[in-house]
Amino acid sequence: MKKVTVFACCVAITLVATQCKKDESKPTTPASDPNKDLFAEANATGNYKYYKNSSTILASSPGSGHPNFMRVRFNTIAQGALGVDGKLPSGGTFPEGSVIVKEVFSANDATTVTSWAVMKKTSTGNSANGYVWGEYKTDGAVVYSITNKGANCAGCHAAAGNRDMVRLFEQFP
């Protein structure tokens, strides 16, 4: 009888212990920072090509929100939408996942990039007018957060004649 009681107690303790066991499933990872993610995409230069395959630095257009000098590059997804002339065809749109990076320079010397203005074609998250909009210093510091949903960007980019919110094709034919 004593053995049965000891055995029953052991079974009861085991059952209680397994019921109280912590959930040992995969630990949850913190949510990613969308600005860091967009900056990382803009920083991954290996899959980008410059406008018309030229690394020439251009003077920014009058009234640009990104003064001084610039050049623009497109990721491989965006490149697929460009015509043989290096431009998005009139009436065309960039596919989801297209990333367009405007490198902003303080001078026309290709060595002093001050910031990157970035547009990513997406209909999710902080998008506005089909894009998320961000601007970053080259060290990743946020100049203009995507959480602003392009409030200071979309007005100029939506101007008549611009192709899918990109001013470059009309400003620099």
Side-chain angles (χ1 to χ4, degrees):
M1 183 74 167
K2 201 175 198 183
K3 288 181 184 180
V4 172
T5 304
V6 170
F7 177 74
C9 286
C10 288
V11 170
I13 290 170
T14 302
L15 285 173
V16 169
T18 58
Q19 295 297 321
C20 295
K21 188 176 179 181
K22 287 185 176 181
D23 179 14
E24 293 180 10
S25 60
K26 291 183 180 179
T28 57
T29 55
S32 64
D33 178 337
N35 279 299
K36 284 183 182 179
D37 294 344
L38 187 58
F39 173 77
E41 286 189 74
N43 197 25
T45 58
N47 65 344
Y48 284 83
K49 287 189 180 173
Y50 288 106
Y51 178 52
K52 295 185 176 182
N53 290 318
S54 173
S55 61
T56 301
I57 297 172
L58 304 167
S60 291
S61 59
S64 174
H66 314 283
N68 300 325
F69 299 92
M70 60 90 187
R71 67 180 169 199
V72 177
R73 55 189 164 90
F74 302 87
N75 73 352
T76 53
I77 297 169
Q79 291 168 37
L82 301 176
V84 293
D85 62 354
K87 296 178 169 187
L88 183 68
S90 292
T93 58
F94 285 102
E96 187 90 1
S98 293
V99 179
I100 303 162
V101 180
K102 179 187 250 184
E103 298 173 342
V104 181
F105 293 82
S106 61
N108 191 15
D109 64 6
T111 60
T112 51
V113 175
T114 58
S115 63
W116 293 334
V118 185
M119 299 170 58
K120 180 178 182 181
K121 185 76 175 236
T122 182
S123 57
T124 61
N126 290 299
S127 68
N129 298 85
Y131 288 92
V132 290
W133 312 78
E135 187 170 353
Y136 310 95
K137 295 289 185 187
T138 56
D139 66 359
V142 177
V143 175
Y144 186 83
S145 175
I146 68 171
T147 59
N148 294 321
K149 298 186 177 187
N152 294 344
C153 310
C156 290
H157 282 265
N162 290 344
R163 299 178 190 185
D164 197 18
M165 305 296 284
V166 179
R167 300 184 66 197
L168 178 71
F169 309 118
E170 304 311 317
Q171 300 289 319
F172 299 93

